[in-house]
Amino acid sequence: MGRYVIRRLLMMIPVFIGTTFLIYYMVYQLGGDPISAMFGDRGADPVFVAQKRAELHLDDSLIVQYWYYLKGLLQGDFGTTLNGIPVADELKRAFPISIRLALVAFAIEVVIGVTAGLIAGLKRGKFADSVVLVVTLVVISIPVFVLGYVLQYFMGLQWGWFPATATPGDPTWEDLILPGIVLGSLSLAFVARLTRTSIVENIRADYVRTATAKGLPRRRVVTVHLLRNSLIPVVTFLGADLGSLMAGAIVTEGIFNVDGVGRLIYLSVTRHESSTVVGAVAALVMIYLVMNLIVDLLYAVLDPRIRYA
């Protein structure tokens, strides 16, 4: 197990460098002058502009710019914004908000998605199964921005179940329930369908029939034997989805005025602040890599037949 973990950690290094370079390259290809974007239509002192360009290495080639950025990144320096604010401070402010939003969405999709998929799998071909399949298909078909505005109007404004928008600055957990529902709705549908398919496949397995023949209670057969083995593909999806929930919340955070990482990335792209974009993406890449490692280790917990030599 230890050698496997070390090998996976070493594999993270080229993945991290390659991913951050691709993001840096794409931001570089957007074009435009970030110094001009900072001042807008106002004139700027040519001496200050030259000093700022030299400080940010904007006159160097892409490889040189990325090298300076990666060198600072490895030292814990994420760079500074065009306004002189350290990118690390921006990430410290935005990431806790997005993490809380992602955890709310993650909890919703796990609890409701797995439960709905389990019921549909056990009731295959019956009314409950049809309801789950139809509802999840409808959720998958509706764009996130449409679902967000609809739920905001009815559940936030008309019925008053949840706050329609988040509190500026530091939203409460209650503020994040409604955007969490919207953010996790698509993943919830996939989790329910994936759980349902896995349950249907494993319910006819030999180990389930053996456990039933031994006279074990049905609840134990379902929870300990059937569900535990059926969750392996679901855990794979959930592990990758946790990073996606934080990175893909641009639309949701915009609708509900949540000042998180998604909003930060969007504003940074429009302002051509490559250091902020790459810094946020670098942190998200690390989350992806760590979550994938945790998912691989969870396989051995869920299925004792899996061992890492």
Side-chain angles (χ1 to χ4, degrees):
M1 177 71 75
R3 294 177 59 186
Y4 174 80
V5 174
I6 294 175
R7 187 166 65 250
R8 286 295 304 273
L9 291 175
L10 293 176
M11 291 172 58
M12 290 181 181
I13 298 176
V15 174
F16 177 79
I17 294 176
T19 305
T20 52
F21 177 76
L22 287 176
I23 297 299
Y24 201 95
Y25 172 75
M26 287 187 287
V27 175
Y28 183 88
Q29 289 297 108
L30 288 176
D33 187 356
I35 305 299
S36 300
M38 179 175 64
F39 288 98
D41 296 332
R42 297 174 300 171
D45 184 7
V47 177
F48 175 80
V49 172
Q51 180 183 357
K52 199 69 176 178
R53 293 186 66 86
E55 178 185 341
L56 299 176
H57 307 284
L58 295 178
D59 294 325
D60 296 326
S61 64
L62 172 64
I63 299 297
V64 174
Q65 291 185 42
Y66 176 74
W67 165 250
Y68 280 111
Y69 180 81
L70 183 62
K71 183 179 177 181
L73 193 63
L74 296 177
Q75 297 174 353
D77 181 14
F78 286 81
T80 58
T81 65
L82 297 179
N83 295 326
I85 302 174
V87 175
D89 293 344
E90 292 289 325
L91 297 179
K92 289 178 183 178
R93 175 193 58 79
F95 254 97
I97 299 175
S98 290
I99 289 175
R100 282 188 291 161
L101 176 59
L103 289 177
V104 172
F106 189 77
I108 291 173
E109 71 178 68
V110 169
V111 175
I112 300 179
V114 172
T115 302
L118 177 62
I119 295 174
L122 296 176
K123 303 292 184 181
R124 180 188 179 189
K126 297 183 179 179
F127 178 74
D129 184 25
S130 301
V131 170
V132 171
L133 292 177
V134 171
V135 171
T136 54
L137 180 61
V138 171
V139 172
I140 294 174
S141 304
I142 300 177
V144 174
F145 64 89
V146 174
L147 182 64
Y149 283 118
V150 170
L151 294 185
Q152 183 185 47
Y153 177 76
F154 286 103
M155 301 179 68
L157 298 177
Q158 291 295 320
W159 302 334
W161 292 355
F162 307 104
T165 57
T167 303
D170 187 17
T172 63
W173 287 98
E174 184 181 4
D175 294 336
L176 299 177
I177 293 179
L178 189 54
I181 294 174
V182 176
L183 182 61
S185 59
L186 181 61
S187 299
L188 185 153
F190 284 120
V191 168
R193 284 176 165 262
L194 190 59
T195 305
R196 185 249 181 202
T197 302
S198 187
I199 290 292
V200 170
E201 291 178 354
N202 288 296
I203 200 171
R204 296 189 296 267
D206 293 337
Y207 67 88
V208 176
R209 288 198 294 264
T210 301
T212 304
K214 288 182 179 180
L216 296 178
R218 178 172 175 80
R219 176 178 297 180
R220 181 175 177 81
V221 173
V222 172
T223 57
V224 177
H225 297 276
L226 178 60
L227 184 59
R228 181 177 177 179
N229 289 278
S230 301
L231 284 180
I232 292 179
V234 180
V235 168
T236 304
F237 175 82
L238 291 175
D241 188 57
L242 185 57
S244 301
L245 290 176
M246 288 187 290
I250 296 177
V251 176
T252 305
E253 290 182 358
I255 295 175
F256 295 96
N257 195 31
V258 179
D259 196 12
V261 176
R263 190 180 181 90
L264 175 64
I265 293 177
Y266 171 76
L267 294 177
S268 301
V269 170
T270 58
R271 297 168 182 169
H272 301 284
E273 294 184 356
S274 58
S275 59
T276 307
V277 176
V278 181
V281 173
L284 293 173
V285 168
M286 289 303 301
I287 294 176
Y288 268 111
L289 295 176
V290 172
M291 288 304 304
N292 285 330
L293 177 60
I294 294 175
V295 166
D296 288 343
L297 298 179
L298 283 177
Y299 288 160
V301 177
L302 294 173
D303 191 346
R305 297 172 297 178
I306 300 177
R307 289 293 180 265
Y308 297 107

